[in-house]
Amino acid sequence: MNLTVRAELGCCLLHRSGRLTIDGCILQCESNPLDYLSCPIVSTAGATGLEVLASSPCKNKNGSNNSVAVSETRIEGGAKAVLTNGDLALQRVRAIYARACVYFWFDVDHQ
């Protein structure tokens, strides 16, 4: 909550498993000639061979506890805001365009 994360190349946040909540943050991928390699949020949760089994009692409707929730967060730079390599997908996207930036609300969860 309320963090600024800057990445020169690659991702600001890598989500492998479990629940990740990003609230009121600023995620910045510095622009460079290799911008297509940058993505502020990368989730590999649910990818074959990558998922770590968690013992959390909080599971979603598919029996998994993997998810990402983003609220009131600025995302700057990168080829795309979210890259998923597992069985999660971008859902319920909302954006507010302010004078100087864009604020996002979305979930990355099972379809």
Side-chain angles (χ1 to χ4, degrees):
M1 185 172 210
N2 299 320
L3 296 174
T4 298
V5 180
R6 289 190 183 109
E8 294 282 329
L9 183 62
C11 63
C12 293
L13 300 171
L14 174 60
H15 171 249
R16 292 184 182 234
S17 68
R19 299 165 114 202
L20 174 63
T21 301
I22 305 163
D23 186 8
C25 295
I26 301 171
L27 305 178
Q28 299 173 323
C29 286
E30 300 296 325
S31 56
N32 58 51
L34 301 174
D35 197 38
Y36 65 94
L37 296 175
S38 297
C39 189
I41 302 171
V42 174
S43 177
T44 60
T48 305
L50 294 176
E51 186 172 1
V52 176
L53 295 176
S55 59
S56 171
C58 302
K59 305 218 182 263
N60 63 18
K61 65 183 178 184
N62 293 334
S64 172
N65 60 346
N66 296 325
S67 67
V68 178
V70 175
S71 64
E72 203 171 334
T73 295
R74 268 177 39 194
I75 299 176
E76 303 171 358
K80 52 172 112 169
V82 179
L83 176 65
T84 60
N85 291 330
D87 58 357
L88 303 181
L90 188 63
Q91 298 179 24
R92 299 175 287 282
V93 178
R94 292 177 289 148
I96 294 179
Y97 293 86
R99 182 179 293 266
C101 58
V102 180
Y103 290 95
F104 290 94
W105 287 259
F106 58 84
D107 295 315
V108 178
D109 206 342
H110 292 274
Q111 293 182 345

